[in-house]
Amino acid sequence: MAREKELTMTTILPRKDVVIVGLGWTGSILAHELTDQGLDVLAIERGPWRDTATDFNIGYAQDELRYSVRRDLFLQPAVETMTMRNDPSQTALPMRDFGSFLPGNGVGGAGVHWNGHTWRFWDSDFQIKTNLTKRYGAARIADLQVEDWGVTGAEMEPYYDQFEYLAGISGKAGNIKGKLQEGGNPFEDPRSRDYPNPPMEMTYAPTLFADVGRSIGLHPFPTPSANMSRTYVNPLGITMGQCTYCGFCERFGCANYSKSSAQTTILPVLMKKANFEVRTDSEVLHVDLAPGGKSARGVTYVDTSGQEFFQPTDLVLLCAYGLHNARLMMLSGIGKIYDPATGEGTVGRNYCYQTNAGVQVFFDDKNFNPFIAAGALGQTIDDYNGDAFDHGGLDFVGGAGINCIPTNGRPIGTRPTLPGTPKWGSAWKKATVAGYKSTLGYSSQGSSYATRTNYLDLDPTYKDRFGRPLMRMTFDFPDNDIRMSNYLCDRMEDIAKAFGGKQYSVGRRKKGWDSVPYQSTHNTGGVIMGTDPKKSAVNSFLQSWDVPNVFVIGASAFPQNAGKNPTGTVGALAYRAADGIRNHYLRNPGAPLVQA
Amino acid sequence: MDRHNTVQLSRRLFLSSVAMFTVTATSASFARSLSGSLPWAPMSSDPPMQVVSGGWQFFTPQEAALVEAIVDRIVPADDLSMGGKEAGCAVYIDRQLTGAFGTSSRLYTQGPFLPGLPTQGYQGEANPAQRYRVGLASIDAFLKQRDGKTFAELQPADQDAFLAAMEAGKVDLPNGVKAPGFFGLLLQNTMEGFFADPVYGGNKDMVSWRMLGFPGARYDYRDHVSKHNQPYPRPPVSIEGSPEWLVKRS
Ligand SMILES: Cc1cc2nc3c(=O)[nH]c(=O)nc-3n(C[C@H](O)[C@H](O)[C@H](O)COP(=O)(O)OP(=O)(O)OC[C@H]3O[C@@H](n4cnc5c(N)ncnc54)[C@H](O)[C@@H]3O)c2cc1C
Ligand code: SF4
């Protein structure tokens, strides 16, 4: 009955070569690559069209209440949210508002309002299980479910390079073809050439942080940034403007065309191609499979009037953001949903996050002008990241980048005060004025390693606006990661002491992941890549093992997360998938690129 | 901020000559098919609407008096700034409660409503508008019973003591109102009003920005990036502009 009703209500549309679900960072990259190949590409995007002049308008882009507090550009929980709990014994409840992470919405996706810290993961991150087992023995990672990615750092290098030049990253190489470079990150893997743009001009706080770090033997370097240090013309011929250090970056669109996003690096070219079309304000409900479930025949989507459409296609690319990719896989019945009790199933497996902690140093005599800032302007210390240091005598694996990247001085959200300050009244006000300009902060962005009981599946109770189950997130910080974070806090304290401020405070990470305060929109895993179809949902080209004409692109592919922001690697994986499709898949459409 | 949606409606309607689907009037923006060019249109931006003070749109006069007295203790007048009432924090909250924030129209509001863990966030059924209506009435009722006075009639020290007790969960308010939760909402909204752009009705004359030395809606600091540890010389500007500009023109 229901099925019949569905059939009669759905409009069937003319076929397209490729359907891309979501036109954010990865969707735009894939659309550009595959239209270059001559394919007829349709992107279906849940949110509205967005462009700089209209939606990130310089007359009112700098509105903290609207964009940062009420989050005008983000996905609204009324449209889609998730339920959460910390462990499988609890009842998951819906995140009625997003807090800990903030998914994007609309053309450009989360790339519109990201910060732009643009990292490469290392070979030791990609071959993590092999590497850690060899270095410390299998027993050290027995509590974890870490997996190799099925690619090497050297294989990923050309794709990182492609993404960094597309996005005009400002930075300083630390290692070009094996030769260490003064002023860069000495711990990074070899790269083929330097960044396309020099580092940004440093503000006071990161400058001081770097001086202090060097004074105690650490190796600070400028954070690789997607905020332009100078005018840049990218390989597509699109010009970006110099960043003005406006301090309204993360959570905001950039009014200056200075922050890389689909809008500033791809869309001006992509939108002019006759073989590309985007349908906005249209939500894909699921991928439709052919009888037998071994190939996709199209997608079903609904527009804002409630009208349902069936869009036939030969190739489906899920580019809907990692978490949404995972849910779309579950709702489409592609692959088996992971069950932590048996360890079977791949979709929803190895959900990971980011293990952050922070330090504040308070001064009497300094003025940091916190409002002069950009999303990715700062200095990083990688001496304790990943496997850059010996964990032989330690009780954990993993690490964190230590970042001094003061992104803003917007006063609703950024008002550091000494510990113990009341939250209101005259004493509060006095402390707020004293702390506003003279506080320096930095933080550890830690790795997040998979365990058996951190995973995604479908919620048994709560439904979305179409009556379909919300995704359920079961997550807490693993003990390993808490030990890692504590070690990093000790190292950050070493730095704090060397600052010689009047006081410092350390905010340590504790068990019990809290979905309310913002932490980071770095949700990884759920549709992970790998070499074993029993443990991974996609192969190393991000092609589904179960339905080979579906590719699933995003941080959903990470088997675990490193102590770095994900998008450099997400962009590189998007280019790798495009390469696989253009140069291999299209020769033999519908066939797996890797034999299981 | 509901107005954004309405503006968006007419803007999208205007632009929907290329749209291939029929539309309904309930959605904020309509499905569109775009191909062949960047669909940019002049004069289609969506700026915020200036809140005009005067009158109350959500609060009753009695509620307004209570909120004005509360915001004046959360942000008291002293040598650093005017108080929350004069700065417009109550006007700000009043206008927010009539919009998307007040009705939680952007949030997930489907049941069942179960008591959650602290890590699961607010799980109540009531939206902010309803929480203010009930919460303010319960403060009045509680104080009338205890002191025979309204909050506004108490001495400042007694007002502070009462708010501190709410914050600490040491007051049992009637009608099932959880004092710390409601105080948290009042605190959050008062701070928003005090520190947000004046276009939303609070932060009169950019008082909080002048107090902190935050230059507001300026968008280009390239000339000061390398001037480490030196005070930024220019006064703040708001999205609506700056009184300094008006002075120059007259
Ligand atoms: C505040 C913030 C700061 C960040 N800072 C950084 C940073 O400094 N460095 C870094 O590396 N990363 C950062 N990130 C993360 C970064 O933005 C993402 O990793 C990146 O955008 C992911 O690209 P994507 O293509 O996978 O998803 P997105 O760019 O989010 O695109 C996904 C698109 O799919 C659409 N979509 C979803 N579901 C559907 C559906 N069912 N049907 C149709 N369309 C759908 C969405 O509307 C969206 O437009 C940040 C994110 C946020 C929110
Ligand atoms: S800080 Fe720079 S890149 Fe970021 S929004 Fe401002 S001008 Fe754009």
Side-chain angles (χ1 to χ4, degrees), chain A residues 22 24-26 44-46 102 106 109-111 115-117 284 320 521 565 567:
Chain A
W25 252 137
T26 58
I44 303 175
E45 165 55 49
R46 170 155 65 188
L102 304 170
N115 275 315
H117 314 174
V284 172
T521 311
N565 311 58
T567 309

Side-chain angles (χ1 to χ4, degrees), chain A residues 60 63 244 276 429 462-463 515, chain B residues 35 46 76 81 112 119 200 219:
Chain A
Y60 56 88
D63 184 339
T244 60
F276 177 71
K429 207 196 282 179
Y462 290 93
K463 307 276 188 276
S515 69
Chain B
S35 183
D46 182 15
S81 79
T119 61
Y200 293 106
Y219 209 68

Side-chain angles (χ1 to χ4, degrees), chain A residues 13 48-49 51 53-55 57-67 69-72 76-79 81 84-86 90-97 201-204 207 242-248 253-256 267-268 271-274 276-282 301 303-305 309 365-369 371-373 377 409-412 415 423-426 428-430 432-433 436-437 461-465 470 512-516, chain B residues 1 4-5 8 11-12 20-24 26-41 44-48 73-78 80-83 92 96 101 104-124 159-161 163-164 167 183 187-189 191-192 194-197 199-200 208-209 211-222 224-232 239:
Chain A
L13 297 166
W49 171 258
D51 64 58
T54 313
D55 300 288
N57 187 285
I58 197 158
Y60 56 88
Q62 53 289 69
D63 184 339
E64 182 183 14
L65 181 72
R66 177 175 179 179
Y67 295 110
V69 181
R70 300 284 182 259
R71 308 175 197 139
D72 235 31
Q76 300 180 6
V79 174
T81 187
M84 69 75 61
R85 58 183 179 174
N86 292 124
Q90 298 167 341
T91 303
L93 295 181
M95 293 184 248
R96 298 189 174 279
D97 196 0
E201 212 177 317
M202 282 298 142
T203 44
Y204 185 32
T207 304
Q242 187 183 37
C243 167
T244 60
Y245 306 80
C246 80
F248 291 88
C254 176
N256 283 335
L267 294 177
M271 290 307 295
K272 294 200 179 80
K273 293 178 172 175
F276 177 71
E277 180 192 348
V278 53
R279 294 192 196 133
T280 64
D281 307 286
S282 299
Y301 72 93
D303 75 1
T304 36
S305 71
F309 299 87
D365 55 343
K366 298 205 187 305
N367 178 355
F368 294 111
N369 288 322
F371 42 85
I372 304 179
L377 169 59
R410 300 185 301 263
I412 301 176
R415 283 178 272 119
K423 292 199 171 73
W424 52 282
S426 267
W428 157 79
K429 207 196 282 179
K430 206 163 163 227
T432 301
V433 172
Y436 180 69
K437 287 183 183 163
T461 308
Y462 290 93
K463 307 276 188 276
D464 71 6
R465 60 207 171 116
L470 295 181
W513 167 60
D514 186 345
S515 69
V516 180
Chain B
M1 254 171 287
H4 296 144
N5 288 345
Q8 203 126 316
R11 165 157 70 94
R12 301 298 182 196
M20 57 184 283
F21 309 123
T22 48
V23 295
T24 63
T26 50
S27 53
S29 51
F30 302 127
R32 300 165 72 191
S33 163
L34 306 169
S35 183
S37 68
L38 282 169
W40 181 80
S44 57
S45 59
D46 182 15
R73 293 320 303 161
I74 291 179
V75 180
D78 56 22
L80 289 169
S81 79
M82 62 177 82
Y92 163 83
Q96 288 292 308
F101 173 75
S104 291
S105 64
R106 297 174 172 192
L107 306 189
Y108 184 81
T109 52
Q110 295 186 39
F113 293 91
L114 301 172
L117 303 161
T119 61
Q120 292 173 315
Y122 178 70
Q123 289 294 335
Q159 291 178 327
D160 286 354
L163 293 177
E167 185 180 26
F183 180 81
L187 179 68
Q188 172 203 332
N189 294 151
M191 292 301 169
E192 286 167 8
F194 190 59
F195 288 109
D197 195 285
V199 73
Y200 293 106
S208 71
W209 295 356
M211 173 181 96
L212 294 178
F214 173 62
R218 291 184 184 280
Y219 209 68
D220 189 351
Y221 295 112
R222 280 174 295 182
H224 207 81
V225 181
S226 60
K227 294 186 180 152
H228 293 174
N229 210 9
Q230 295 176 37
Y232 184 75
I239 290 170

Side-chain angles (χ1 to χ4, degrees), chain A residues 98 104 197 227 303 305 316 341 347 355 364 405 440 498 502 562 581:
Chain A
F98 286 118
N197 287 309
N227 318 133
D303 75 1
S305 71
V316 176
V347 180
T355 320
D364 278 327
I405 310 175
L440 180 148
K502 81 169 160 193
I581 295 169

Side-chain angles (χ1 to χ4, degrees), chain B:
Chain B
M1 254 171 287
D2 258 351
R3 184 181 162 270
H4 296 144
N5 288 345
T6 6
V7 171
Q8 203 126 316
L9 261 176
S10 51
R11 165 157 70 94
R12 301 298 182 196
L13 207 51
F14 165 64
L15 290 170
S16 66
S17 53
V18 285
M20 57 184 283
F21 309 123
T22 48
V23 295
T24 63
T26 50
S27 53
S29 51
F30 302 127
R32 300 165 72 191
S33 163
L34 306 169
S35 183
S37 68
L38 282 169
W40 181 80
M43 308 304 285
S44 57
S45 59
D46 182 15
M49 190 166 61
Q50 167 76 56
V51 164
V52 182
S53 61
W56 301 101
Q57 293 179 6
F58 177 81
F59 294 134
T60 64
Q62 195 185 343
E63 288 169 340
L66 173 54
V67 173
E68 287 194 313
I70 291 173
V71 300
D72 233 18
R73 293 320 303 161
I74 291 179
V75 180
D78 56 22
D79 54 349
L80 289 169
S81 79
M82 62 177 82
K85 174 179 170 181
E86 192 187 346
C89 293
V91 175
Y92 163 83
I93 297 173
D94 179 72
R95 302 306 193 267
Q96 288 292 308
L97 291 176
T98 59
F101 173 75
T103 57
S104 291
S105 64
R106 297 174 172 192
L107 306 189
Y108 184 81
T109 52
Q110 295 186 39
F113 293 91
L114 301 172
L117 303 161
T119 61
Q120 292 173 315
Y122 178 70
Q123 289 294 335
E125 191 165 3
N127 63 34
Q130 293 160 335
R131 291 174 71 191
Y132 269 90
R133 191 113 285 154
V134 177
L136 295 173
S138 75
I139 291 177
D140 271 345
F142 177 88
L143 290 176
K144 194 163 199 176
Q145 163 95 37
R146 191 188 73 178
D147 304 332
K149 285 182 182 168
T150 66
F151 181 84
E153 287 161 1
L154 298 178
Q155 291 302 308
D158 295 332
Q159 291 178 327
D160 286 354
F162 175 73
L163 293 177
M166 271 185 78
E167 185 180 26
K170 290 184 183 147
V171 198
D172 281 326
L173 294 178
N175 305 320
V177 173
K178 294 198 183 83
F182 185 49
F183 180 81
L185 186 64
L186 283 162
L187 179 68
Q188 172 203 332
N189 294 151
T190 305
M191 292 301 169
E192 286 167 8
F194 190 59
F195 288 109
D197 195 285
V199 73
Y200 293 106
N203 195 7
K204 185 180 172 203
D205 300 333
M206 300 180 274
V207 56
S208 71
W209 295 356
R210 290 180 204 278
M211 173 181 96
L212 294 178
F214 173 62
R218 291 184 184 280
Y219 209 68
D220 189 351
Y221 295 112
R222 280 174 295 182
D223 62 356
H224 207 81
V225 181
S226 60
K227 294 186 180 152
H228 293 174
N229 210 9
Q230 295 176 37
Y232 184 75
R234 295 189 197 96
V237 292
S238 138
I239 290 170
E240 346 154 39
S242 144
E244 279 83 358
W245 299 351
L246 297 179
V247 170
K248 265 184 213 150
R249 245 192 273 156
S250 61

